[in-house]
Amino acid sequence: MTELNYKLIRLRKDKGESQATAAKHIGISQSMLAMLEAGDRHGSDATKIAIANYYGTSVESIFFSHKITNRDKELV
Protein backbone atom coordinates (compact mmCIF):
# COMPACT_ATOMS: atom_id res chain seq x y z
CA MET A 1 0.00 0.00 0.00
CA THR A 2 1.05 3.53 -0.66
CA GLU A 3 0.75 6.64 1.46
CA LEU A 4 -2.32 7.61 -0.58
CA ASN A 5 -4.08 4.35 0.24
CA TYR A 6 -3.42 4.83 3.94
CA LYS A 7 -4.63 8.45 3.78
CA LEU A 8 -7.94 7.46 2.19
CA ILE A 9 -8.54 4.63 4.65
CA ARG A 10 -7.52 6.76 7.64
CA LEU A 11 -9.81 9.62 6.62
CA ARG A 12 -12.78 7.27 6.32
CA LYS A 13 -12.06 5.43 9.56
CA ASP A 14 -11.49 8.70 11.43
CA LYS A 15 -15.05 9.59 10.43
CA GLY A 16 -16.17 6.19 11.70
CA GLU A 17 -17.80 5.22 8.43
CA SER A 18 -18.01 2.10 6.32
CA GLN A 19 -16.97 2.19 2.67
CA ALA A 20 -20.62 1.96 1.65
CA THR A 21 -21.66 4.97 3.76
CA ALA A 22 -18.69 7.12 2.76
CA ALA A 23 -19.11 6.24 -0.92
CA LYS A 24 -22.80 7.18 -0.82
CA HIS A 25 -21.98 10.60 0.67
CA ILE A 26 -19.15 11.15 -1.82
CA GLY A 27 -21.37 10.15 -4.75
CA ILE A 28 -19.44 7.12 -5.97
CA SER A 29 -20.01 3.39 -5.70
CA GLN A 30 -18.67 1.39 -2.78
CA SER A 31 -16.64 -0.68 -5.23
CA MET A 32 -15.02 2.48 -6.63
CA LEU A 33 -14.07 3.64 -3.13
CA ALA A 34 -12.68 0.18 -2.38
CA MET A 35 -10.57 0.31 -5.56
CA LEU A 36 -9.31 3.80 -4.69
CA GLU A 37 -8.38 2.68 -1.18
CA ALA A 38 -6.64 -0.41 -2.57
CA GLY A 39 -4.74 1.61 -5.18
CA ASP A 40 -6.39 -0.19 -8.08
CA ARG A 41 -7.95 3.03 -9.45
CA HIS A 42 -6.97 6.68 -9.33
CA GLY A 43 -10.31 8.41 -9.88
CA SER A 44 -11.24 11.37 -12.00
CA ASP A 45 -10.52 14.94 -10.96
CA ALA A 46 -14.21 15.33 -10.09
CA THR A 47 -14.03 12.25 -7.85
CA LYS A 48 -10.91 13.57 -6.12
CA ILE A 49 -12.62 16.91 -5.48
CA ALA A 50 -15.73 15.17 -4.11
CA ILE A 51 -13.58 13.05 -1.77
CA ALA A 52 -11.64 16.06 -0.50
CA ASN A 53 -14.82 18.06 0.03
CA TYR A 54 -16.45 15.21 1.91
CA TYR A 55 -13.49 14.82 4.25
CA GLY A 56 -13.12 18.58 4.66
CA THR A 57 -9.60 18.78 3.33
CA SER A 58 -7.80 19.68 0.12
CA VAL A 59 -7.24 17.49 -2.93
CA GLU A 60 -3.56 18.30 -2.55
CA SER A 61 -3.33 16.97 1.01
CA ILE A 62 -4.83 13.63 -0.01
CA PHE A 63 -3.58 12.98 -3.51
CA PHE A 64 -0.16 14.67 -3.63
CA SER A 65 2.88 13.76 -1.60
CA HIS A 66 4.11 17.32 -1.39
CA LYS A 67 2.61 20.77 -1.39
CA ILE A 68 2.23 22.24 -4.87
CA THR A 69 4.11 25.50 -5.23
CA ASN A 70 4.07 28.17 -7.91
CA ARG A 71 7.34 26.68 -9.15
CA ASP A 72 5.60 23.34 -9.67
CA LYS A 73 2.82 25.05 -11.61
CA GLU A 74 5.40 26.63 -13.93
CA LEU A 75 6.62 23.14 -14.89
CA VAL A 76 3.26 22.23 -16.40
Side-chain angles (χ1 to χ4, degrees):
M1 286 194 137
T2 66
E3 184 179 346
L4 169 60
N5 306 109
Y6 286 117
K7 284 181 190 178
L8 289 172
I9 293 167
R10 187 183 69 241
L11 286 166
R12 178 177 54 79
K13 289 188 175 190
D14 285 350
K15 253 185 139 83
E17 295 193 341
S18 67
Q19 282 183 341
T21 301
K24 182 177 180 179
H25 289 290
I26 293 166
I28 59 176
S29 68
Q30 183 273 328
S31 62
M32 177 62 170
L33 183 55
M35 288 186 281
L36 288 165
E37 287 183 358
D40 296 332
R41 296 285 302 267
H42 298 293
S44 67
D45 289 347
T47 297
K48 291 174 183 175
I49 291 167
I51 290 169
N53 287 339
Y54 177 67
Y55 290 123
T57 189
S58 68
V59 171
E60 178 182 282
S61 69
I62 300 172
F63 296 98
F64 294 96
S65 60
H66 72 283
K67 188 171 180 91
I68 295 174
T69 64
N70 283 336
R71 183 177 177 276
D72 294 328
K73 291 175 186 175
E74 290 171 2
L75 298 175
V76 178

